[in-house]
Structure formats: structure tokens, C-alpha cells
Amino acid sequence: MLGSWPLTQPGELAGLRHSVTEVLDDGAGRSAREEQLLLLVMCELATNALRHGAGAGVVTLSQHGPSWLVDVRDRACDETPAHRPTDDGRAGGHGLRILDRATTEWGWYPEPGRGAKHVWALVPTGRSEAEDHR
């Protein structure tokens, strides 16, 4: 695991971005675009957890082959992530569409024994699996 960050309020998102940027500053030569894509996905999932997830959440970041694995746990185990209609007149509601375009795969699963739900996403690092095994 590269890191884990608890979140309780939206004001902590800036600190999350800063901490993740420091974790990624490991000399691996990633492009700014790849890092920005990861930050976009992480912040979108974290914002959704805070907004729709019944309070606090935990964001974890791991390496998974040629991808980063972002996992966000919240307390809304009964709330299923779902696309909203694009023309419902409300602001926002584009988070899952962002995941559809910015990740190679995403999903969710409940953790009923802990009263939690996990939403996860794989974000390409721009590296191949062969590079990861060197």
C-alpha cells in the first residue's frame, strides 16, 4: 500500500492531494497527466464518499500491476453507486462518468459487517507490467 488517508470533511481534500503528490514524487518519471488523472479520480471518489457516504471515509492507494488502485470506504453500505440522468437539472452528478472515462475499470462492494461500502478504481500509471517487475 502506498498510503491511506482518513477524511471527515471536504476541507481535507487539499491535504489529500498534497499527500498523494508527495507519495508519487518517487523519481519514477511519471507524466503530469498521469498524476493529474489519478488525483482527479481520487478526489472524485473522496468527494462522493463525503457527500453521499454517511460521513467520514478512508482513501487508500496501492500499486496494482501497471495501474494504481484507489479504494474509498464510506459508511453507506446500502447506497449503490449509480449514474444520474444527464438532464436532471441538478449540478454535479458526473462522477461515475468521469470514472468511466478516466479508469480502466471501477466497481464497488459492500462490507456489511462493518457497515461500510468500498468504491474502487484502477487508474493507469502509464507504465507496463514489464517495467514494474524490473
Side-chain angles (χ1 to χ4, degrees), residues 16-38:
L16 171 67
R17 286 189 296 272
H18 179 74
S19 293
V20 171
T21 300
E22 285 183 346
V23 166
L24 297 178
D25 191 17
D26 61 2
R30 294 178 193 92
S31 74
R33 182 185 182 283
E34 292 159 356
E35 291 185 15
Q36 291 300 316
L37 192 62
L38 173 63

Side-chain angles (χ1 to χ4, degrees), residues 1-124:
M1 181 183 330
L2 298 172
S4 180
W5 300 269
L7 295 174
T8 58
Q9 56 187 331
E12 296 168 332
L13 291 171
L16 171 67
R17 286 189 296 272
H18 179 74
S19 293
V20 171
T21 300
E22 285 183 346
V23 166
L24 297 178
D25 191 17
D26 61 2
R30 294 178 193 92
S31 74
R33 182 185 182 283
E34 292 159 356
E35 291 185 15
Q36 291 300 316
L37 192 62
L38 173 63
L39 291 172
L40 171 67
V41 169
M42 286 187 83
C43 288
E44 185 60 40
L45 290 176
T47 299
N48 284 349
L50 292 170
R51 184 174 292 149
H52 307 291
V58 177
V59 177
T60 59
L61 177 63
S62 304
Q63 188 77 40
H64 184 75
S67 298
W68 288 296
L69 172 61
V70 178
D71 180 278
V72 179
R73 186 181 77 221
D74 65 36
R75 295 180 183 160
C77 65
D78 296 329
E79 190 167 326
T80 304
H83 289 82
R84 271 193 359 208
T86 55
D87 60 354
D88 68 359
R90 295 184 291 173
H94 303 288
L96 297 182
R97 287 179 184 77
I98 290 171
L99 293 183
D100 289 342
R101 298 200 60 176
T103 69
T104 55
E105 191 175 350
W106 70 270
W108 72 279
Y109 62 94
E111 191 179 1
R114 298 188 65 178
K117 171 183 80 240
H118 292 257
V119 180
W120 58 269
L122 290 174
V123 181

